[in-house]
Structures are given as structure tokens and as C-alpha cells.
């Protein structure tokens, strides 16, 4: 099996996996970063979202072989102590119910806000539409994204 060196959360990590192994499984099963969740495996739910070069991507769809030389950030690497403005807003608004989708939601929101620091309500809805929440906390998610935008603008 080939060895791939991936830059994850600022550190080089090596994995011995097949070239078509999804990034999600390399993160969870081979590196032990289990904050990124498996939801559907077909890129429809957003639970597995991570940042690759600052963009939120569905890690269940991307083969490890395509990730060499790219900067990968997981929920564990978003902030060392959970004080990223999106994480803080999530707590203040009390978004999570079951919590399963939260890592993917937060990764999508943080990438979106890095590119659009002053979004409208419609832009937030559009940006977050690819993330499914089985608890239907969508109103709180949208409120938290708006609050995070305010926090990031301070």
C-alpha cells in the first residue's frame, strides 16, 4: 500500500492506505481524528466536512491520493481550545441537540464566513443548505452563523 503524507491541522501525518481511500476514513480510522463524522458516504449530508486549503469539502468523497500538498483542517484543528467565533456562537445560541452534524456544520460555517464576513440571511441559508441536521435545528444554526459573523467583525 502506498504511503501518503498529509498536512492535517498544521502537522505532517503519514498514512498507509489505498489511493482511493476517502479522506474521511484516513482521518478517522488511521489518524484517530474522530470529530469528523460519517453521515451518508455520498456527499449529501455535510457531516464529514473539513477544510482543504480553506474551503469546506465533503471528506467522504475525496480520495487521499488527491490530498498531498494541501492544508487540511478538521474540527479538532479549528481552534485549540474551542474559542473560534463560530464555536463560541454555537454555544451561545445553544445549537446542538444530538450534536452529530455539528462538526460539519461548524466547518461549513467557518469557511463560508472567512469568504463572506458580512452575509445576509439568504446568503447564510444558501451556504448552509448542504448540511443536514436530523434534529432540524436550522433556525438556531442560521442564528449562530449570523452571530459568528458579528463576532468575527468585532
Amino acid at each position: 500500500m502506498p504511503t501518503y503524507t498529509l498536512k492535517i491541522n498544521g502537522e505532517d501525518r503519514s498514512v498507509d492506505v489505498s489511493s482511493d481511500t476517502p479522506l474521511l476514513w484516513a482521518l478517522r480510522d488511521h489518524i484517530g481524528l474522530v470529530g469528523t463524522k460519517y453521515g451518508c458516504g455520498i456527499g449529501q449530508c455535510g457531516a464529514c466536512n473539513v477544510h482543504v486549503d480553506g474551503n469546506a469539502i465533503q471528506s467522504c468523497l475525496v480520495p487521499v491520493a488527491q490530498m498531498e500538498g494541501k492544508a487540511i483542517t478538521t474540527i479538532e484543528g479549528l481552534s485549540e481550545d474551542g474559542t473560534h467565533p463560530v464555536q463560541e456562537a454555537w454555544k451561545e445560541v445553544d445549537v446542538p441537540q444530538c450534536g452529530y452534524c455539528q462538526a460539519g456544520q461548524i466547518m461549513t460555517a467557518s469557511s463560508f464566513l472567512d469568504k463572506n464576513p458580512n452575509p445576509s440571511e439568504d446568503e447564510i441559508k444558501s451556504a448552509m443548505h448542504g448540511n443536514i441536521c436530523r434534529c432540524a435545528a436550522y433556525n438556531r444554526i442560521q442564528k449562530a452563523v449570523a452571530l459568528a459573523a458579528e463576532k468575527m467583525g468585532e
Side-chain angles (χ1 to χ4, degrees), residues 39-52:
C40 67
I42 58 171
Q44 297 294 308
C45 73
C48 69
N49 284 358
V50 297
H51 294 174
V52 175

Side-chain angles (χ1 to χ4, degrees), residues 13-151:
R13 306 291 293 266
S14 293
V15 292
D16 296 322
V17 296
S18 175
S19 63
D20 62 349
T21 300
L23 176 60
L24 171 65
W25 298 122
L27 293 171
R28 289 185 59 82
D29 294 348
H30 299 274
I31 298 172
L33 295 172
V34 296
T36 303
K37 303 300 184 207
Y38 170 78
C40 67
I42 58 171
Q44 297 294 308
C45 73
C48 69
N49 284 358
V50 297
H51 294 174
V52 175
D53 293 337
N55 297 306
I57 62 107
Q58 296 155 334
S59 64
C60 70
L61 297 179
V62 181
V64 167
Q66 294 179 8
M67 294 293 100
E68 284 194 304
K70 299 186 184 296
I72 301 163
T73 305
T74 67
I75 190 71
E76 293 91 346
L78 192 58
S79 75
E80 288 183 20
D81 57 1
T83 58
H84 185 281
V86 175
Q87 292 169 311
E88 290 291 329
W90 240 248
K91 291 181 241 175
E92 285 181 41
V93 176
D94 197 22
V95 172
Q97 284 186 32
C98 82
Y100 197 82
C101 70
Q102 298 310 299
Q105 299 270 3
I106 289 169
M107 296 307 284
T108 297
S110 59
S111 175
F112 165 65
L113 291 174
D114 284 344
K115 294 168 186 53
N116 186 350
N118 190 24
S120 69
E121 186 177 323
D122 286 340
E123 289 170 325
I124 292 170
K125 286 179 185 177
S126 178
M128 300 304 294
H129 86 277
N131 289 77
I132 294 173
C133 175
R134 58 179 127 178
C135 300
Y138 298 111
N139 290 333
R140 289 195 312 271
I141 290 166
Q142 292 166 11
K143 184 176 178 183
V145 174
L147 176 60
E150 288 176 26
K151 289 177 171 295

